[in-house]
Amino acid sequence: MWFKRDLRLRDHEPLYRAVEKNENILPLFCWEPSLIADPHMDMRHWQFIQQSIDDINAQLPSDARLLTLHCEVIDALELIAQHYAISAVRSYQEIGLSVTHNRDISVSNYLKKKKINHIESQYGAVMRGLPHREQWQQNWDRHFTTKTYDIGVLGIFPSKVT
């Protein structure tokens, strides 16, 4: 489970789908040097990210944590693949910045080359790659009338201690 800007456990469709399919989950967040260096990012953004990571870890059982690595995502996947068989990577589509869009394309290409499924969920009401915005209001309405994707945290990462 690749967490990007979507650092939450509640109403998280990719996480919900992984639990629904009874997949083994390794939650990952990368402090990506390419994003840290991007001028669109600010120290306040990174402080919020750290607070969100701390919040996620506080919600998880004591023997489960969000894996945080200081490297680019492809490097992180290479490292993880040395220890685990990766059958799929789930994430949200990210919108808004060319640096994240280009990164997502690179990661997707890498995963295709490695024959690893990349399952992206739409993030919010904005749909990446549309040729126009004619259906924007309908997309917005559809998104905000769908159910939330909530599951119990202990159902995701059961603690060894009951």
Side-chain angles (χ1 to χ4, degrees), residues 99-155:
V99 67
T100 57
H101 183 254
N102 293 336
R103 181 262 336 260
D104 287 356
I105 291 170
S106 294
V107 170
S108 186
N109 289 335
Y110 165 82
L111 293 171
K112 282 179 193 166
K113 179 180 171 188
K114 295 289 185 176
K115 296 184 168 80
I116 298 171
N117 292 329
H118 187 200
I119 306 160
E120 288 186 293
S121 296
Q122 179 183 327
Y123 186 81
V126 178
M127 299 175 78
R128 186 169 66 190
L130 292 178
H132 55 75
R133 296 180 182 203
E134 292 173 6
Q135 302 295 319
W136 184 87
Q137 187 64 53
Q138 292 89 335
N139 293 336
W140 179 271
D141 293 341
R142 184 173 45 257
H143 174 74
F144 285 102
T145 57
T146 59
K147 68 176 185 137
T148 59
Y149 297 96
D150 288 331
I151 48 181
V153 172
L154 291 178

Side-chain angles (χ1 to χ4, degrees), residues 6 18 26 39 44 58-59 72 83-84 103 106 110 119 145 148:
D6 51 348
L26 176 63
R44 291 173 293 177
Q59 294 175 60
E72 300 298 336
H83 302 279
Y84 300 98
R103 181 262 336 260
S106 294
Y110 165 82
I119 306 160
T145 57
T148 59

Side-chain angles (χ1 to χ4, degrees), residues 28 30 67 69 71-81 86:
L28 169 68
C30 291
L67 175 62
L69 298 174
C71 60
E72 300 298 336
V73 176
I74 291 173
D75 296 332
L77 294 171
E78 286 283 331
L79 178 66
I80 291 167
I86 304 172

Side-chain angles (χ1 to χ4, degrees), residues 4-136:
K4 303 178 194 178
R5 287 191 232 178
D6 51 348
L7 286 160
R8 64 187 187 282
L9 297 177
R10 297 200 61 210
D11 194 19
H12 194 287
E13 184 180 3
L15 185 57
Y16 180 90
R17 298 291 181 212
V19 171
E20 182 179 61
K21 301 263 187 211
N22 201 32
E23 297 172 352
N24 292 323
I25 302 168
L26 176 63
L28 169 68
F29 176 82
C30 291
W31 295 95
E32 301 166 81
S34 60
L35 297 186
I36 292 170
D38 189 90
H40 293 96
M41 305 299 184
D42 184 79
M43 182 55 70
R44 291 173 293 177
H45 172 82
W46 300 117
Q47 289 169 340
F48 178 76
I49 293 289
Q50 185 59 58
Q51 290 168 349
S52 298
I53 290 169
D54 294 344
D55 185 55
I56 286 175
N57 285 331
Q59 294 175 60
L60 295 173
S62 61
D63 60 345
R65 289 289 171 261
L66 177 64
L67 175 62
T68 57
L69 298 174
H70 293 262
C71 60
E72 300 298 336
V73 176
I74 291 173
D75 296 332
L77 294 171
E78 286 283 331
L79 178 66
I80 291 167
Q82 293 175 16
H83 302 279
Y84 300 98
I86 304 172
S87 60
V89 172
R90 290 183 180 270
S91 66
Y92 272 115
Q93 287 182 350
E94 201 160 343
I95 53 170
L97 297 175
S98 62
V99 67
T100 57
H101 183 254
N102 293 336
R103 181 262 336 260
D104 287 356
I105 291 170
S106 294
V107 170
S108 186
N109 289 335
Y110 165 82
L111 293 171
K112 282 179 193 166
K113 179 180 171 188
K114 295 289 185 176
K115 296 184 168 80
I116 298 171
N117 292 329
H118 187 200
I119 306 160
E120 288 186 293
S121 296
Q122 179 183 327
Y123 186 81
V126 178
M127 299 175 78
R128 186 169 66 190
L130 292 178
H132 55 75
R133 296 180 182 203
E134 292 173 6
Q135 302 295 319
W136 184 87

